[in-house]
Amino acid sequence: MTKHDDIMDIRRIMELLPHRYPFLLVDRVVDFVAGESLKAYKNVTFNEGFFQGHFPGLPVMPGVLILEALAQTGGLFVMHTIDEPLGDRVFLFAGMNKVKFRKPVVPGDKLDLNVFYIKNKMNIWRMRGVAEVDGVVVAQGEFTASVASKGDM
């Protein structure tokens, strides 16, 4: 993004994604390069409901939620790229490959979410996601997602 006005705050994110509390896992978009990448973040706090059971006395953000945060970041990349809201469509995971978890994410971490465009064909999008905390990779993988009409589900 080159203009400060293009940075997406939570209101713009909520216009583009259907997710809501407690499942909206992106707080702000800080960079967008058309056709290439999008960078966002999630502030991880002890108030997250999943920390009550994962794990008592040793709070660790579930890896699947880190992947979901990356997928939502990918959804924002796609929606910002096509520059329109989902409307009656939904952005769905279609597959994950080469997923690796490198380090636990804990309360107090700022989870940086980076997605990089690989390719798309029609309504199928492939991206590489990298999640970092303080510049250290905590999770990564490639994922495929599709934009589908809710009526087709």
Side-chain angles (χ1 to χ4, degrees):
M1 293 181 182
T2 56
K3 299 185 303 183
H4 180 70
D5 295 341
D6 289 337
I7 294 174
M8 285 185 233
D9 64 10
I10 195 65
R11 291 172 299 197
R12 179 66 176 140
I13 290 168
M14 290 174 67
E15 287 174 9
L16 294 174
L17 293 180
H19 304 80
R20 295 296 180 264
Y21 176 84
F23 221 68
L24 181 57
L25 299 173
V26 179
D27 291 330
R28 180 174 293 269
V29 172
V30 295
D31 193 31
F32 173 75
V33 179
E36 291 182 25
S37 63
L38 186 137
K39 181 174 183 170
Y41 67 79
K42 164 144 184 65
N43 289 311
V44 180
T45 73
F46 188 69
N47 292 326
E48 311 282 353
F50 51 78
F51 284 130
Q52 291 181 22
H54 200 269
F55 300 99
L58 183 65
V60 175
M61 184 174 185
V64 68
L65 293 181
I66 298 169
L67 293 180
E68 176 63 28
L70 284 169
Q72 290 179 20
T73 304
L76 289 166
F77 173 80
V78 171
M79 294 302 105
H80 198 55
T81 298
I82 63 177
D83 197 28
E84 62 184 67
L86 282 171
D88 71 338
R89 298 170 298 168
V90 65
F91 191 73
L92 299 170
F93 256 141
M96 292 182 276
N97 294 303
K98 302 178 184 176
V99 172
K100 300 230 186 283
F101 298 102
R102 306 266 183 214
K103 185 179 177 214
V105 175
V106 298
D109 285 345
K110 179 181 172 196
L111 186 62
D112 291 313
L113 304 162
N114 306 284
V115 294
F116 304 93
Y117 174 81
I118 296 175
K119 70 178 181 178
N120 77 292
K121 186 173 185 178
M122 297 177 59
N123 65 338
I124 305 293
W125 293 76
R126 285 199 53 219
M127 289 168 267
R128 182 172 59 90
V130 179
E132 300 174 330
V133 172
D134 295 328
V136 176
V137 175
V138 296
Q140 64 192 58
E142 292 181 2
F143 53 95
T144 305
S146 66
V147 180
S149 171
K150 291 177 186 174
D152 293 340
M153 298 179 64

